[in-house]
Amino acid sequence: MTPLIELKHVYRHFEVNRQRLPVLQDINLSIAANEIVCLVGESGCGKTTTGKILAGLLGPSSGEVLIEGRPRASYTGREAALLRRALQIVHQDPFASINPAHTIGQILGFPLQRHGMVRSRAELRRRIWELLTLVDLTPPGDIVNKFPHQLSGGQRQRVSIARVLTVNPRLIVADEAVSMVDVSIRIGILKMLHRLREQLNLSIVFITHDLALAKYFAWDGRIAVMYLGRIVEIGRTPDVIAHPAHPYTRALLAAVPEADPELTRHKQHLELRSEDIPRLTEIPPGCAFHPRCPFFVPGVCDTRVPPLEPPPDYNQLAACIPLVETGRLIPYTERVNPDGR
Amino acid sequence: MPNDVVVSVRDLSVSYLARRGRVRAVNRASFDLHAGETLALIGESGCGKSTLNLALIRQLPKNATIDSGSILYTRRDKSVVDVLKLNKAELRRFLWSEFAMVFQGALNSLNPVIRVSDMVYDTAAAHGLNKAAAEKRALHLFEKVRLDPYRVFRAYPHELSGGMRQRVLLAMSLLLQPQVVIMDEPTTAVDILTQRSILDVLQTLREELNFSVIFISHDLAVAAEIADTIATMYAGDIVEVGPVNEVFYRPRHAYTLALLNAAPRLSAGAEELYSIPGSPPDLIHPPPGCKFHPRCTFATEVCRTVLPPLVAAEAGHQVACHHTDDVVTAYRKVSRA
Amino acid sequence: MSVKSTVPPAASPVRQMRYLKPFRQRVGEALSSYTARVLLQGLFTVFAVMTFTFFLVRLMPGNPVDIKIDQLMQTQGLTYEQARSQAAGLFDMDLNAPVGQQYLTYVQRVLRGDLGKSILSAGTPVADIIWRFLPWTLFSVGLGLLVSFALGVLIGAAMAYWRGGILDNVMTAVASILYSIPEYIIALLIILVAGVQLQLFQVGELRGGFNPDVAPGFTLEFIGSILKHATLPVITYVLATIGGWILAMKSSTISTLGEDYITVAKARGLSERRVLTAYVGRNALLPLVTRLSVSIGLVVGGSVIVEELFQYPGLGRQLLRAINGRDYTVMQGIFLIIAISVVASTIIADLMLGWLDPRVRVGQKATKG
Ligand SMILES: Nc1ncnc2c1ncn2[C@@H]1O[C@H](COP(=O)(O)OP(=O)(O)OP(=O)(O)O)[C@@H](O)[C@H]1O
Ligand SMILES: Nc1ncnc2c1ncn2[C@@H]1O[C@H](COP(=O)(O)OP(=O)(O)OP(=O)(O)O)[C@@H](O)[C@H]1O
Ligand SMILES: [Mg+2]
Ligand SMILES: [Mg+2]
């Protein structure tokens, strides 16, 4: 089946102070219809940039974006307009994306009218009611005439999701969509997104830096782990979480505290060789993680850029040459100092 | 626990005067902090965690008032200080040497126009510590928090990354060897690996220097790892206080239970989570009775009218809930499923 | 646990070196490159203004040289050639040389400090005129700005500190009103209300930079006279600009007071004085320093009408006279001076900002790790 959207060898760079920032390098990612894909990684690794490219808010510097098998550029005229509506993004801060001077009814009404999605006032009203019910803002009558500042953070985020739904999208990129929402309310929004995915046959790209949340949300989808502009590991969520392959994924998972006192206190952490995150202007050669990697193999990791390949005995893809070639990882300290001295 | 209580808070109430009315941000909060103990204060945004702690060090904004209560602090020499009765000069000397704080949002806690060293000297000068001794101690602490001490000491804040700044603040809070350090969400806006190194550093420092910590967080996982005692706050009330294992494995307040049921766990495989219905209450017009009742699945008539007091359920485990027993049984059921 | 047991042995000299050297070096380099950049930018601006005024006077259709030639031909019945050579003399230009050549000569002269001769008072070098009148303007405008900045900053900071108090409420109103009145109206009001209505001073007496009956010299009387004559223009400048400073400082201080590092500084037990100076004051001043440079430029330009109204012998009044009399060489010279003063104040402000704010100095590079 052709995927809904596919990135092929996508690179993206920005020019900052006459310096070239390679923000994304060789991103290959395909998202099937009705699929959930989670992008995780530390701040600045390029999650939002990837999300924007998927949603069509940014173009790639090089590489291809295919939509249902056709290059994005081949969509023109009316098709392009439909495409723009089909791919939507929900931001972290609802305040940045909804106009505080308009009522919720207006916020939802404008896109409906602008895109000619409704023919009469009655239909407009019905559709707004429907959308508010869809995002669990009930009873809608209490909400439509309120202003954004009269809603709680969670409710505002629901409004911004409802607004995205006005144009009947196929893909929603949720960029840290619940990071600013309280823990107690997050789960409700995530469950709603799950339900919307099924009801409306949506694909969801969920961007977060919270691994536990990623695991919960994308349990029947896939996770892609990014580091310094590259995907270093990608696979089905249970595989990646239970048997992380790439050293970076292992370090991340080992570092996350658990909401269980005994478990979290006895968790084995993976000591990195360095805590410095390299700047994008000085990305290390070979595997970008090698200066920090506890399983660093000199002469291999610092010279060859690892491709995403399936390591033996793993179900996912990982960009780690020693693991893919030998099937195991030996700590750097043992390698340089085999007697443990 | 033995009676080595360092901070004893009783019936502390704080309110803000806002345009819409009086915001009751902390209501009759009572708790004890023991020597060497780490107390984690958890609860959702706006429940009054920061307010409670700003009241402890008397750095509340101008529109806030402390309506009632007492804060007693026991020095190392066992003399007791009534923090609310200190005058300006006494308070100035008291802060940081006995009671230090690492604030929410470390990125903004350092004066951008002066060097880290100047901030160290300023602090030292304010407490009559000489420059050389302060420098020596600061360099030592920077090394302890895994920073390059000399570079960081001479640096301006903007030359440091977020994680480095957070560790600088941690080190600075220990400059005068306080007995208590308040940490307001010190790992919130940082990356996982940075958070890990801060938690590890904090752990080592605590083992070595043996200070007490009040740790504010809305991340249950971080609290589970770092805390000896957990205090849950809801809408300005402390609703449950107990040893970490007690609270996590035998929660007795419906709200704590709800929080635990909403927290995803990495190691748990496919799991069912439950969100808390509704949204946090308005602190200007809080609901009558137990403030959690409109969102609570256990709520009965009594919850709607009678505010449950904080009472001891077991040794060291206090809870303010009308349905403690139901909550315990419910948790057992869920966790076994 | 005691301090002694936890303190490491004294730092070895090797480690000391390790942090001293590269750090000094780095900041030194950054600082010098920053300074160099600021100076270079300034030089370029002055040069651009110089070029601009030259071409304005010489090349534009209907430019002053051509007008003068026409004028000479009509009024004195000269032939074109005669008129042209006379104009060339007046403007001190070789009109027969190619434009590029003329421009080079002009630049060379300016660099030597020769700004040509006045057309109105034939023969007087423009540089002399400028040297004679510039000090008065610099003195009055500079003093006005200094007083206004210092007072405005103090008042604004105090208003923010005691926010909502009487001082705050009264001064916010006053400052907003002052801010919206142009300076020539203030000057007129002073003359009308204080001079004519209330008879606080004799308007006529205060003409000029000092009382001509007092012999110039380093005497108390003479200095007193200078101050007395400068009073009205200075008051005007202060009133015209202080509103802006007050409002800017107030809002800047309020936002600084809300910063976390202020709360942290207080929690560290620092004295109120230290917090207010090194933490609040210094940070709150930053945005104002940038404004300072802009306003210096504006005030020099704005002195034109004020000096005319008070009959103050400054450059502004001279500019007005040059404009009225179509004295292009003088105008050219004064524009150049104004440009230089704006550029100079920008440079001073930039360097001051660099000195106050390390982030500007080193650029936005943060070391990660
Ligand atoms: N328009 C832009 N111009 C210049 N640099 C940019 C631009 N957008 C992003 N960047 C840089 O690209 C890098 C990746 O940015 P991106 O926002 O994709 O990261 P992210 O993974 O979403 O991080 P975060 O978790 O902090 O949101 C960052 O270093 C960022 O500074
Ligand atoms: N200066 C203020 N004026 C008026 N109300 C305030 C002020 N500061 C806080 N509040 C209110 O007091 C309540 C408690 O705020 P507080 O900052 O203590 O919450 P918190 O638990 O620390 O939340 P968070 O987790 O978001 O930091 C909130 O409802 C907040 O809106
Ligand atoms: Mg992002
Ligand atoms: Mg807070």
Side-chain angles (χ1 to χ4, degrees), chain C residues 305-328:
Chain C
I305 300 172
V306 175
E307 285 179 357
E308 181 61 27
L309 284 174
F310 290 114
Q311 300 284 301
Y312 196 73
L315 213 54
R317 190 154 163 249
Q318 221 49 44
L319 179 60
L320 199 65
R321 184 184 277 182
I323 292 170
N324 283 335
R326 302 250 144 58
D327 194 340
Y328 292 98

PDB file of all heavy atoms in Angstrom, chain C residues 305-328:
ATOM      1  N   ILE C 305      14.815  75.171  16.083  1.00  0.00           N
ATOM      2  CA  ILE C 305      13.769  76.143  16.417  1.00  0.00           C
ATOM      3  C   ILE C 305      13.956  76.687  17.824  1.00  0.00           C
ATOM      4  O   ILE C 305      13.772  77.880  18.072  1.00  0.00           O
ATOM      5  CB  ILE C 305      12.376  75.501  16.256  1.00  0.00           C
ATOM      6  CG1 ILE C 305      12.226  75.051  14.799  1.00  0.00           C
ATOM      7  CG2 ILE C 305      11.284  76.469  16.632  1.00  0.00           C
ATOM      8  CD1 ILE C 305      10.997  74.251  14.546  1.00  0.00           C
ATOM      9  N   VAL C 306      14.354  75.804  18.741  1.00  0.00           N
ATOM     10  CA  VAL C 306      14.546  76.247  20.119  1.00  0.00           C
ATOM     11  C   VAL C 306      15.606  77.352  20.186  1.00  0.00           C
ATOM     12  O   VAL C 306      15.415  78.382  20.828  1.00  0.00           O
ATOM     13  CB  VAL C 306      14.943  75.060  21.018  1.00  0.00           C
ATOM     14  CG1 VAL C 306      15.254  75.540  22.424  1.00  0.00           C
ATOM     15  CG2 VAL C 306      13.825  74.034  21.049  1.00  0.00           C
ATOM     16  N   GLU C 307      16.708  77.160  19.469  1.00  0.00           N
ATOM     17  CA  GLU C 307      17.766  78.177  19.501  1.00  0.00           C
ATOM     18  C   GLU C 307      17.310  79.482  18.863  1.00  0.00           C
ATOM     19  O   GLU C 307      17.654  80.566  19.324  1.00  0.00           O
ATOM     20  CB  GLU C 307      19.027  77.646  18.803  1.00  0.00           C
ATOM     21  CG  GLU C 307      19.753  76.645  19.670  1.00  0.00           C
ATOM     22  CD  GLU C 307      21.006  76.075  19.011  1.00  0.00           C
ATOM     23  OE1 GLU C 307      21.267  76.428  17.839  1.00  0.00           O
ATOM     24  OE2 GLU C 307      21.689  75.282  19.660  1.00  0.00           O
ATOM     25  N   GLU C 308      16.488  79.342  17.838  1.00  0.00           N
ATOM     26  CA  GLU C 308      15.973  80.544  17.203  1.00  0.00           C
ATOM     27  C   GLU C 308      15.050  81.286  18.175  1.00  0.00           C
ATOM     28  O   GLU C 308      15.166  82.486  18.358  1.00  0.00           O
ATOM     29  CB  GLU C 308      15.217  80.157  15.924  1.00  0.00           C
ATOM     30  CG  GLU C 308      14.648  81.325  15.146  1.00  0.00           C
ATOM     31  CD  GLU C 308      15.730  82.304  14.672  1.00  0.00           C
ATOM     32  OE1 GLU C 308      16.883  81.876  14.491  1.00  0.00           O
ATOM     33  OE2 GLU C 308      15.403  83.500  14.520  1.00  0.00           O
ATOM     34  N   LEU C 309      14.179  80.535  18.842  1.00  0.00           N
ATOM     35  CA  LEU C 309      13.227  81.157  19.754  1.00  0.00           C
ATOM     36  C   LEU C 309      13.943  81.870  20.894  1.00  0.00           C
ATOM     37  O   LEU C 309      13.555  82.956  21.304  1.00  0.00           O
ATOM     38  CB  LEU C 309      12.270  80.100  20.321  1.00  0.00           C
ATOM     39  CG  LEU C 309      11.177  79.638  19.363  1.00  0.00           C
ATOM     40  CD1 LEU C 309      10.393  78.490  19.970  1.00  0.00           C
ATOM     41  CD2 LEU C 309      10.245  80.801  19.021  1.00  0.00           C
ATOM     42  N   PHE C 310      14.983  81.238  21.416  1.00  0.00           N
ATOM     43  CA  PHE C 310      15.681  81.867  22.543  1.00  0.00           C
ATOM     44  C   PHE C 310      16.859  82.723  22.088  1.00  0.00           C
ATOM     45  O   PHE C 310      17.620  83.216  22.899  1.00  0.00           O
ATOM     46  CB  PHE C 310      16.175  80.791  23.509  1.00  0.00           C
ATOM     47  CG  PHE C 310      15.064  80.115  24.258  1.00  0.00           C
ATOM     48  CD1 PHE C 310      14.785  78.786  24.064  1.00  0.00           C
ATOM     49  CD2 PHE C 310      14.288  80.834  25.167  1.00  0.00           C
ATOM     50  CE1 PHE C 310      13.764  78.163  24.748  1.00  0.00           C
ATOM     51  CE2 PHE C 310      13.265  80.221  25.856  1.00  0.00           C
ATOM     52  CZ  PHE C 310      13.006  78.881  25.649  1.00  0.00           C
ATOM     53  N   GLN C 311      16.998  82.847  20.776  1.00  0.00           N
ATOM     54  CA  GLN C 311      18.117  83.626  20.236  1.00  0.00           C
ATOM     55  C   GLN C 311      19.431  83.124  20.804  1.00  0.00           C
ATOM     56  O   GLN C 311      20.277  83.895  21.240  1.00  0.00           O
ATOM     57  CB  GLN C 311      17.931  85.114  20.573  1.00  0.00           C
ATOM     58  CG  GLN C 311      16.666  85.686  20.010  1.00  0.00           C
ATOM     59  CD  GLN C 311      16.777  85.950  18.520  1.00  0.00           C
ATOM     60  OE1 GLN C 311      17.637  86.705  18.073  1.00  0.00           O
ATOM     61  NE2 GLN C 311      15.947  85.291  17.728  1.00  0.00           N
ATOM     62  N   TYR C 312      19.576  81.803  20.828  1.00  0.00           N
ATOM     63  CA  TYR C 312      20.770  81.209  21.415  1.00  0.00           C
ATOM     64  C   TYR C 312      21.778  80.949  20.302  1.00  0.00           C
ATOM     65  O   TYR C 312      21.433  80.398  19.255  1.00  0.00           O
ATOM     66  CB  TYR C 312      20.393  79.892  22.108  1.00  0.00           C
ATOM     67  CG  TYR C 312      21.446  79.399  23.053  1.00  0.00           C
ATOM     68  CD1 TYR C 312      21.654  80.033  24.279  1.00  0.00           C
ATOM     69  CD2 TYR C 312      22.241  78.308  22.717  1.00  0.00           C
ATOM     70  CE1 TYR C 312      22.626  79.583  25.146  1.00  0.00           C
ATOM     71  CE2 TYR C 312      23.222  77.857  23.589  1.00  0.00           C
ATOM     72  CZ  TYR C 312      23.407  78.499  24.799  1.00  0.00           C
ATOM     73  OH  TYR C 312      24.381  78.064  25.655  1.00  0.00           O
ATOM     74  N   PRO C 313      23.031  81.338  20.491  1.00  0.00           N
ATOM     75  CA  PRO C 313      23.980  81.330  19.368  1.00  0.00           C
ATOM     76  C   PRO C 313      24.512  79.942  19.044  1.00  0.00           C
ATOM     77  O   PRO C 313      25.718  79.725  19.020  1.00  0.00           O
ATOM     78  CB  PRO C 313      25.093  82.234  19.870  1.00  0.00           C
ATOM     79  CG  PRO C 313      25.091  82.008  21.351  1.00  0.00           C
ATOM     80  CD  PRO C 313      23.664  81.798  21.737  1.00  0.00           C
ATOM     81  N   GLY C 314      23.659  78.996  18.778  1.00  0.00           N
ATOM     82  CA  GLY C 314      24.131  77.639  18.517  1.00  0.00           C
ATOM     83  C   GLY C 314      24.105  77.293  17.042  1.00  0.00           C
ATOM     84  O   GLY C 314      23.744  78.105  16.187  1.00  0.00           O
ATOM     85  N   LEU C 315      24.443  76.069  16.778  1.00  0.00           N
ATOM     86  CA  LEU C 315      24.549  75.595  15.415  1.00  0.00           C
ATOM     87  C   LEU C 315      23.175  75.501  14.752  1.00  0.00           C
ATOM     88  O   LEU C 315      23.028  75.732  13.559  1.00  0.00           O
ATOM     89  CB  LEU C 315      25.191  74.201  15.452  1.00  0.00           C
ATOM     90  CG  LEU C 315      26.069  73.835  14.278  1.00  0.00           C
ATOM     91  CD1 LEU C 315      27.132  74.883  14.058  1.00  0.00           C
ATOM     92  CD2 LEU C 315      26.694  72.477  14.526  1.00  0.00           C
ATOM     93  N   GLY C 316      22.179  75.205  15.538  1.00  0.00           N
ATOM     94  CA  GLY C 316      20.825  75.063  15.004  1.00  0.00           C
ATOM     95  C   GLY C 316      20.359  76.373  14.398  1.00  0.00           C
ATOM     96  O   GLY C 316      19.796  76.408  13.300  1.00  0.00           O
ATOM     97  N   ARG C 317      20.599  77.415  15.134  1.00  0.00           N
ATOM     98  CA  ARG C 317      20.167  78.716  14.644  1.00  0.00           C
ATOM     99  C   ARG C 317      20.933  79.062  13.368  1.00  0.00           C
ATOM    100  O   ARG C 317      20.398  79.633  12.416  1.00  0.00           O
ATOM    101  CB  ARG C 317      20.440  79.741  15.739  1.00  0.00           C
ATOM    102  CG  ARG C 317      19.837  81.063  15.452  1.00  0.00           C
ATOM    103  CD  ARG C 317      19.563  81.827  16.732  1.00  0.00           C
ATOM    104  NE  ARG C 317      19.380  83.205  16.381  1.00  0.00           N
ATOM    105  CZ  ARG C 317      20.237  84.160  16.700  1.00  0.00           C
ATOM    106  NH1 ARG C 317      21.296  83.878  17.430  1.00  0.00           N
ATOM    107  NH2 ARG C 317      20.024  85.390  16.313  1.00  0.00           N
ATOM    108  N   GLN C 318      22.224  78.694  13.368  1.00  0.00           N
ATOM    109  CA  GLN C 318      23.058  78.944  12.212  1.00  0.00           C
ATOM    110  C   GLN C 318      22.537  78.183  10.996  1.00  0.00           C
ATOM    111  O   GLN C 318      22.544  78.678   9.884  1.00  0.00           O
ATOM    112  CB  GLN C 318      24.490  78.506  12.540  1.00  0.00           C
ATOM    113  CG  GLN C 318      25.554  79.446  12.041  1.00  0.00           C
ATOM    114  CD  GLN C 318      25.267  80.883  12.397  1.00  0.00           C
ATOM    115  OE1 GLN C 318      24.877  81.167  13.528  1.00  0.00           O
ATOM    116  NE2 GLN C 318      25.431  81.788  11.439  1.00  0.00           N
ATOM    117  N   LEU C 319      22.062  76.974  11.261  1.00  0.00           N
ATOM    118  CA  LEU C 319      21.518  76.149  10.187  1.00  0.00           C
ATOM    119  C   LEU C 319      20.280  76.824   9.593  1.00  0.00           C
ATOM    120  O   LEU C 319      20.120  76.917   8.380  1.00  0.00           O
ATOM    121  CB  LEU C 319      21.155  74.761  10.724  1.00  0.00           C
ATOM    122  CG  LEU C 319      20.554  73.785   9.716  1.00  0.00           C
ATOM    123  CD1 LEU C 319      21.523  73.526   8.574  1.00  0.00           C
ATOM    124  CD2 LEU C 319      20.178  72.474  10.382  1.00  0.00           C
ATOM    125  N   LEU C 320      19.448  77.354  10.470  1.00  0.00           N
ATOM    126  CA  LEU C 320      18.238  78.023  10.021  1.00  0.00           C
ATOM    127  C   LEU C 320      18.603  79.210   9.140  1.00  0.00           C
ATOM    128  O   LEU C 320      18.022  79.425   8.080  1.00  0.00           O
ATOM    129  CB  LEU C 320      17.438  78.495  11.240  1.00  0.00           C
ATOM    130  CG  LEU C 320      15.979  78.800  10.964  1.00  0.00           C
ATOM    131  CD1 LEU C 320      15.243  77.531  10.567  1.00  0.00           C
ATOM    132  CD2 LEU C 320      15.327  79.433  12.182  1.00  0.00           C
ATOM    133  N   ARG C 321      19.597  79.945   9.607  1.00  0.00           N
ATOM    134  CA  ARG C 321      20.021  81.109   8.847  1.00  0.00           C
ATOM    135  C   ARG C 321      20.558  80.679   7.480  1.00  0.00           C
ATOM    136  O   ARG C 321      20.256  81.281   6.455  1.00  0.00           O
ATOM    137  CB  ARG C 321      21.114  81.837   9.631  1.00  0.00           C
ATOM    138  CG  ARG C 321      21.549  83.119   8.972  1.00  0.00           C
ATOM    139  CD  ARG C 321      22.677  83.743   9.735  1.00  0.00           C
ATOM    140  NE  ARG C 321      22.198  84.531  10.872  1.00  0.00           N
ATOM    141  CZ  ARG C 321      23.028  85.208  11.656  1.00  0.00           C
ATOM    142  NH1 ARG C 321      24.327  85.155  11.454  1.00  0.00           N
ATOM    143  NH2 ARG C 321      22.548  85.915  12.648  1.00  0.00           N
ATOM    144  N   ALA C 322      21.340  79.587   7.478  1.00  0.00           N
ATOM    145  CA  ALA C 322      21.905  79.099   6.219  1.00  0.00           C
ATOM    146  C   ALA C 322      20.804  78.653   5.272  1.00  0.00           C
ATOM    147  O   ALA C 322      20.862  78.904   4.069  1.00  0.00           O
ATOM    148  CB  ALA C 322      22.861  77.939   6.496  1.00  0.00           C
ATOM    149  N   ILE C 323      19.796  78.032   5.830  1.00  0.00           N
ATOM    150  CA  ILE C 323      18.703  77.570   4.974  1.00  0.00           C
ATOM    151  C   ILE C 323      17.962  78.752   4.377  1.00  0.00           C
ATOM    152  O   ILE C 323      17.707  78.815   3.180  1.00  0.00           O
ATOM    153  CB  ILE C 323      17.730  76.669   5.770  1.00  0.00           C
ATOM    154  CG1 ILE C 323      18.422  75.369   6.149  1.00  0.00           C
ATOM    155  CG2 ILE C 323      16.475  76.375   4.962  1.00  0.00           C
ATOM    156  CD1 ILE C 323      17.640  74.510   7.121  1.00  0.00           C
ATOM    157  N   ASN C 324      17.676  79.735   5.220  1.00  0.00           N
ATOM    158  CA  ASN C 324      16.974  80.923   4.729  1.00  0.00           C
ATOM    159  C   ASN C 324      17.779  81.635   3.658  1.00  0.00           C
ATOM    160  O   ASN C 324      17.228  82.128   2.691  1.00  0.00           O
ATOM    161  CB  ASN C 324      16.704  81.894   5.888  1.00  0.00           C
ATOM    162  CG  ASN C 324      15.539  81.404   6.716  1.00  0.00           C
ATOM    163  OD1 ASN C 324      14.688  80.674   6.217  1.00  0.00           O
ATOM    164  ND2 ASN C 324      15.514  81.789   7.985  1.00  0.00           N
ATOM    165  N   GLY C 325      19.091  81.679   3.843  1.00  0.00           N
ATOM    166  CA  GLY C 325      19.920  82.424   2.894  1.00  0.00           C
ATOM    167  C   GLY C 325      20.501  81.550   1.801  1.00  0.00           C
ATOM    168  O   GLY C 325      21.398  81.950   1.085  1.00  0.00           O
ATOM    169  N   ARG C 326      20.029  80.312   1.679  1.00  0.00           N
ATOM    170  CA  ARG C 326      20.550  79.384   0.666  1.00  0.00           C
ATOM    171  C   ARG C 326      22.060  79.278   0.737  1.00  0.00           C
ATOM    172  O   ARG C 326      22.744  79.253  -0.272  1.00  0.00           O
ATOM    173  CB  ARG C 326      20.168  79.854  -0.750  1.00  0.00           C
ATOM    174  CG  ARG C 326      18.703  79.996  -0.992  1.00  0.00           C
ATOM    175  CD  ARG C 326      18.216  78.926  -1.948  1.00  0.00           C
ATOM    176  NE  ARG C 326      16.882  78.451  -1.604  1.00  0.00           N
ATOM    177  CZ  ARG C 326      15.788  79.207  -1.520  1.00  0.00           C
ATOM    178  NH1 ARG C 326      15.849  80.474  -1.746  1.00  0.00           N
ATOM    179  NH2 ARG C 326      14.634  78.669  -1.221  1.00  0.00           N
ATOM    180  N   ASP C 327      22.589  79.217   1.958  1.00  0.00           N
ATOM    181  CA  ASP C 327      24.041  79.115   2.116  1.00  0.00           C
ATOM    182  C   ASP C 327      24.415  77.632   2.139  1.00  0.00           C
ATOM    183  O   ASP C 327      24.580  77.021   3.184  1.00  0.00           O
ATOM    184  CB  ASP C 327      24.446  79.815   3.424  1.00  0.00           C
ATOM    185  CG  ASP C 327      25.943  80.054   3.473  1.00  0.00           C
ATOM    186  OD1 ASP C 327      26.668  79.364   2.723  1.00  0.00           O
ATOM    187  OD2 ASP C 327      26.372  80.916   4.252  1.00  0.00           O
ATOM    188  N   TYR C 328      24.564  77.098   0.908  1.00  0.00           N
ATOM    189  CA  TYR C 328      24.684  75.639   0.818  1.00  0.00           C
ATOM    190  C   TYR C 328      25.946  75.085   1.434  1.00  0.00           C
ATOM    191  O   TYR C 328      25.954  73.999   1.998  1.00  0.00           O
ATOM    192  CB  TYR C 328      24.562  75.191  -0.638  1.00  0.00           C
ATOM    193  CG  TYR C 328      23.173  75.418  -1.145  1.00  0.00           C
ATOM    194  CD1 TYR C 328      22.856  76.538  -1.901  1.00  0.00           C
ATOM    195  CD2 TYR C 328      22.160  74.525  -0.816  1.00  0.00           C
ATOM    196  CE1 TYR C 328      21.562  76.764  -2.335  1.00  0.00           C
ATOM    197  CE2 TYR C 328      20.865  74.742  -1.241  1.00  0.00           C
ATOM    198  CZ  TYR C 328      20.571  75.863  -2.008  1.00  0.00           C
ATOM    199  OH  TYR C 328      19.293  76.067  -2.418  1.00  0.00           O
TER     200      TYR C 328
END
